Every structure is written in C-alpha cells, then in structure tokens.
Amino acid sequence: MILPPNFIARTKPLLGDDFEPFCQALEAEKPISIRLNRWKSDHRPAYESVPWCRDGYYLPTRPLFTLDPLLHAGLYYVQEASSMFLEQVLTQHITEPVRMLDLCAAPGGKSTHLSSLLPENSLLVSNEYVRSRAYILAENLQKWGNPNTLVCNNTPEDLGRLASFFDAMLVDAPCSGEGMFRKDAGAIEEWSVQNVQTCVQRQKELLQAVWPALKQDGILIYSTCTYNRDEDEEQVKWICEELGAELLTVQMDEACGITATDCGYRFYPHKTKGEGFFISVLRKTATERVSRVKPEKQNTKLTKEQLAVKKYCLHPDDYQCVELQEAIALLPNRHAEAMLFLNKNLRVLYAGIKAGVWKGKSFLPDVALALSTELNKNECTIAEVDLHTALSFLRTENIVLPDSEHGIVLLTFKGHALGWVKNLGNRCNSMYPNEWRIRMNLPAELEYNEIC
Ligand code: SAM
C-alpha cells in the first residue's frame, strides 16, 4: 500500500513508535464482521465475537454475501467492527426512550444498530442528505424491520429548524476516510491535505446547522473514520467551546486495545480488530428554544377495508393506520403525531411500516410489511422456498409455486420472510421492488453456506 507522503508526514507524529506497526496492519488482511438482528433471530453462531458489541461477530473468511437470502431478509448487516463500539456509547448514555436523529445515516450501518439498541418506545429519525443514498438507507432499514423508524432525505439546515425536537443525535460525519485505507483503495486516491481541510469545514457547517434540533442536555455522538486530530479531537473541542457542550466518558475494557484520547476514543488497526474509527460523546449545555409539535390531522378518512390492514400487525392496538406517500402506513401510536409532523416538515421516504396499497378491493402488501418485525404471519399464506427459488425471487424472476394457494403469498427462506408474490398458478408475479433486485448472475452450482 502506497500511502500519500503528506499523510505520512501528518500521521507519523501522531503515532510515534506505533507508526510502523500501524503501516504493517494496513498491509494485513482486513477483518470481516457482521452484526446480527436480535429482533429477527436469537441464534448465536460459533464465530469469534466482537468484544464491544453483543451481536457482532468476525467471520473467518469473506462469503458471497449477496447470494445469502438471509442478508436480504435483514437477519444481519455486514459492518466493520470498530464502528460497532457505538453500542457502548449508546447503552451507557441513553437509557430512557428518546427521539434520536442519525444525521448522516446512509447506507445504514449505524442506523440499523441504533434501531436495535435504542430503549423501547424510542423513535429513530434516520436522515441522508444525498438522495440516491437515502433510498439505499430506506431499503436497508426496511429490511432491518423495526417500525420505530422514519427515513428522510434532508439537509442539516432543514433538520436544524426543528428546534429542540431531538433528545439525542448521531453525527457520523462525512470525513477524509483515512481509517478506510485498508478497506477501500479509493480512499487513498481521494486523500489530500486540501480534502482534509474541506472536510473540517463541512463538518463544522453541518454541526452548526443541525445543532438547534438537539435539546438542552441532549446527547451528541460524533464519529468519523479518520485519524487526523483536525476532524476528530479539534472538532470536539470546537463543539464544546463554540456550540456549548461538555465531554462525557465511556467505560471500556482496556484489553480491547481502544485508545482513549483527550476528547474521545480511537480505533487503530494495529491495536483493535477493525478499521480506523473515532467516536466521542457530549452533552449539550447550551440553552435552546423549543418549537411546538403541532398535532397533524390525517388528510383522508380511511375506509373500513383500508383500516383492516391492521390485521397484519402482531399488536394491532399499538398502531395507527394512515395514508402516507400514497400508500397505507402503520405508525406506532406513540410516534404517530411526531411522524406526521415530520412528514409535513421534511422529505420523508417512509415512516413506521409501509404496509401497501389498495387496488380496488384488493390489498397489495408492500415488501416492507413482509420484512417488518411486526408482521403477523398467521394472517399470511406462506410458501417456504429453497435457495434457488429464493434467489430467483430476489432477482425478480418469475417463479412457480405449484403447491401453494393462489393469490398473495409470503415467501420465506429458512422461516424468514423475503417478500410477496402473486401466485397465478402457472407462474407467480414478483412483488419485489425492482431497485432492490440482486443483479449478480447465479453460479451454475448453488450451495448454501450458512452464515448465521
Ligand atoms: N453512518 C453511515 C453508516 O454507518 O452506514 C455512514 C455515513 S458516511 C460516514 C457520511 C454520510 O454523510 C454519507 O452518506 C454522505 O452522503 C453524507 N453527507 C455528505 N455530505 C453531507 C453534508 N453536507 N451534510 C450531511 N451529510 C452529508
């Protein structure tokens, strides 16, 4: 690996005697890790655990994840291990139900993690500023299946207008990506001193813009995947001094090799099994005005048939049925008012569970309903399929289900929902979203290698 000379000049003084082992670690094999979805399965595989994350595991080799239907069923997420330290930060500082914003959330590694970890009855607002990436974020969160989530595509300024709306906020900032050099060769090519300065400036701007949305005493988690102090500790100091916050600490097991600094926690590849990462946690001390959440009325009166969609919920009394984005959505009662308010003020991609649409007298369920942890499978016609059929379905190819009832059928693989088809008898129409389809060709010989 050829490191940029300016990167060496800036990083050597930071690491001292550790610089050589650091460079050697960059040449070593990168660890592969996954995080399981505890709300979909309690199976515990026999892999080595990630010490700072209950559901995190290292895999001995990199499998072909795309060809595992359980990845598409939201059973696990492929995530670099260091970033899973978010779990320690979150569980030590957020113990009551909160409204939490993940400002820079795509593709969704940390948002899926947050949605699993937040105390029950919390609301997660997961935002991504780049539109194409926001759709990928929505896909990953819908596969993860937690109904307490809303995905939006807004600027930090848009969110900053929601004064004191959030109790907690994660800013996993766009950064110069020095910690990704081993994982992503492109990160080296894009690196320059000038780009570091641009990132520093952008981070300040987005933090400043979103800051009013965090209430006084609210928790800010700031993270990057870079090593230079300008984007890490110096930004944390700037937040404390200019925006008004105090630094908090995180208890950790020293044996893990995590480096505590004056303003946060660093992960170096020669000391911890993972990529480069920095994380810090702060409490907002500055006062903030409060904007009132005005209750939103539902725009249309739903018919009895439309309301019948609730039967698909395991806990129908806990959900409200509303029309949102031209579909029927199921919103958790506790968050319905906030979700409708956000829908009015932001560019929301989905909220709660996108349940489906009515076409005349037929209800066409959405893939998000199939993948939701709230789906009541007793209300569905189910067809358990083999690996080849599951992958054909995920490629949106026509499949046949000769032994299944006609009509809308939920496909499962190893008992886990993948999505819906309309079974016509001689073939099935796929109801899987075209944008989500697997584009990879299937190998001639298919063999299932169980990952989790
Ligand atoms: N948190 C994500 C995860 O765990 O999967 C990774 C986020 S990545 C480090 C930073 C994100 O910030 C990118 O998705 C990028 O599109 C977004 N971004 C870029 N410029 C931005 C800006 N000016 N304001 C807010 N977000 C921005």
Side-chain angles (χ1 to χ4, degrees):
M1 184 180 294
I2 300 170
L3 296 171
N6 280 332
F7 171 76
I8 297 175
R10 288 166 62 98
T11 312
K12 229 175 179 175
L14 192 70
L15 281 162
D17 290 346
D18 271 5
F19 189 70
E20 269 316 304
F22 166 76
C23 291
Q24 282 163 14
L26 292 185
E27 299 291 344
E29 194 92 336
K30 53 189 178 215
I32 310 294
S33 45
I34 59 170
R35 187 170 36 73
L36 305 184
N37 187 345
R38 64 175 74 169
W39 300 110
K40 291 207 173 183
S41 166
D42 52 13
H43 173 64
R44 306 265 106 196
Y47 304 124
E48 179 190 348
S49 310
V50 175
W52 45 85
C53 175
R54 198 190 88 169
D55 300 327
Y57 292 91
Y58 296 104
L59 302 189
T61 53
R62 188 178 182 91
L64 202 49
F65 288 115
T66 308
L67 297 187
D68 181 11
L70 295 188
L71 174 72
H72 306 274
L75 265 283
Y76 62 96
Y77 192 94
V78 184
Q79 189 183 26
E80 180 290 299
S82 304
S83 12
M84 298 181 197
F85 189 69
L86 174 62
E87 177 156 326
Q88 297 304 320
V89 179
L90 193 91
T91 52
Q92 291 181 35
H93 289 288
I94 298 180
T95 50
E96 301 288 324
V98 285
R99 278 188 197 154
M100 181 155 194
L101 170 67
D102 183 357
L103 179 69
C104 311
K110 297 188 189 65
S111 263
T112 51
H113 201 180
L114 289 173
S115 90
S116 287
L117 289 177
L118 282 171
E120 207 185 334
N121 296 320
S122 296
L123 166 67
L124 174 65
V125 174
S126 192
N127 177 67
E128 169 57 42
Y129 162 79
V130 177
R131 183 167 304 186
S132 56
R133 290 173 62 82
Y135 287 110
I136 294 166
L137 173 67
E139 173 183 339
N140 285 332
L141 277 167
Q142 285 179 322
K143 286 179 175 169
W144 205 248
N146 191 327
N148 285 0
T149 312
L150 176 147
V151 171
C152 56
N153 167 221
N154 283 86
T155 63
E157 287 76 11
D158 295 336
L159 287 148
R161 282 185 207 110
L162 308 174
S164 295
F165 189 83
F166 295 102
D167 309 290
M169 207 179 261
L170 166 64
V171 177
D172 186 35
C175 68
S176 58
E178 296 164 354
M180 290 293 133
F181 282 0
R182 177 168 62 172
K183 200 173 164 217
D184 171 12
I188 302 182
E189 275 158 38
E190 280 170 32
W191 189 91
S192 66
V193 176
Q194 177 57 43
N195 191 34
V196 171
Q197 302 312 336
T198 307
C199 289
V200 169
Q201 192 49 37
R202 187 188 300 138
Q203 288 150 2
K204 286 201 165 90
E205 283 167 11
L206 64 86
L207 283 161
Q208 194 147 31
V210 77
W211 191 243
L214 183 63
K215 61 172 62 152
Q216 186 178 4
D217 293 326
I219 297 291
L220 171 73
I221 302 173
Y222 176 75
S223 60
T224 72
C225 58
T226 211
Y227 302 115
N228 70 78
R229 283 187 60 93
D230 298 348
E231 294 178 70
D232 295 342
E233 285 84 355
E234 295 306 322
Q235 292 297 42
V236 171
K237 283 186 189 160
W238 177 84
I239 297 168
C240 290
E241 286 159 17
E242 297 301 322
L243 300 181
E246 64 184 5
L247 193 63
L248 302 177
T249 55
V250 181
Q251 304 301 317
M252 55 173 181
D253 179 353
E254 287 190 3
C256 292
I258 301 162
T259 309
T261 71
D262 50 335
C263 286
Y265 302 88
R266 282 173 167 256
F267 289 70
Y268 289 114
H270 60 293
K271 293 176 106 182
T272 50
K273 199 168 171 182
E275 303 308 320
F277 184 57
F278 171 82
I279 192 162
S280 184
V281 54
L282 305 110
R283 180 183 288 117
K284 177 166 176 172
T285 50
T287 53
E288 194 57 71
R289 71 190 171 87
V290 180
S291 64
R292 206 166 70 84
V293 177
K294 293 194 204 97
E296 291 301 329
K297 285 217 176 87
Q298 292 179 30
N299 45 9
T300 45
K301 258 223 160 318
L302 300 181
T303 62
K304 257 214 251 135
E305 289 78 19
Q306 287 172 322
L307 286 166
V309 171
K310 273 203 196 188
K311 75 172 183 189
Y312 288 106
C313 288
L314 283 172
H315 309 93
D317 293 345
D318 293 347
Y319 287 83
Q320 278 183 32
C321 207
V322 301
E323 207 168 277
L324 209 85
Q325 323 288 349
E326 294 165 2
I328 303 289
L330 291 159
L331 307 185
N333 289 338
R334 184 177 288 266
H335 302 306
E337 197 174 287
M339 283 176 164
L340 290 168
F341 167 80
L342 293 171
N343 186 51
K344 192 146 189 211
N345 289 280
L346 300 173
R347 186 171 184 276
V348 171
L349 268 51
Y350 86 87
I353 308 165
K354 186 176 177 193
V357 292
W358 284 88
K359 277 240 164 96
K361 289 214 157 150
S362 318
F363 177 61
L364 302 180
D366 194 274
V367 67
L369 179 63
L371 294 164
S372 169
T373 53
E374 185 57 31
L375 176 70
N376 182 358
K377 288 199 186 123
N378 293 331
E379 290 294 333
C380 310
T381 304
I382 295 179
E384 170 72 15
V385 293
D386 62 12
L387 178 62
H388 189 273
T389 313
L391 290 172
S392 301
F393 166 72
L394 293 168
R395 284 164 50 79
T396 64
E397 289 167 355
N398 283 339
I399 58 165
V400 280
L401 296 174
D403 303 327
S404 187
E405 276 177 41
H406 290 193
I408 306 288
V409 177
L410 178 73
L411 295 194
T412 61
F413 177 74
K414 297 198 177 288
H416 297 287
L418 296 174
W420 312 94
V421 291
K422 188 168 183 189
N423 188 8
L424 306 172
N426 54 350
R427 68 180 165 89
C428 294
N429 284 345
S430 172
M431 295 168 72
Y432 201 65
N434 206 28
E435 321 79 71
W436 291 18
R437 77 180 190 280
I438 298 179
R439 288 175 173 81
M440 181 187 277
N441 288 329
L442 303 186
E445 303 261 310
L446 262 182
E447 196 189 330
Y448 189 60
N449 295 316
E450 191 171 276
I451 296 174
C452 71

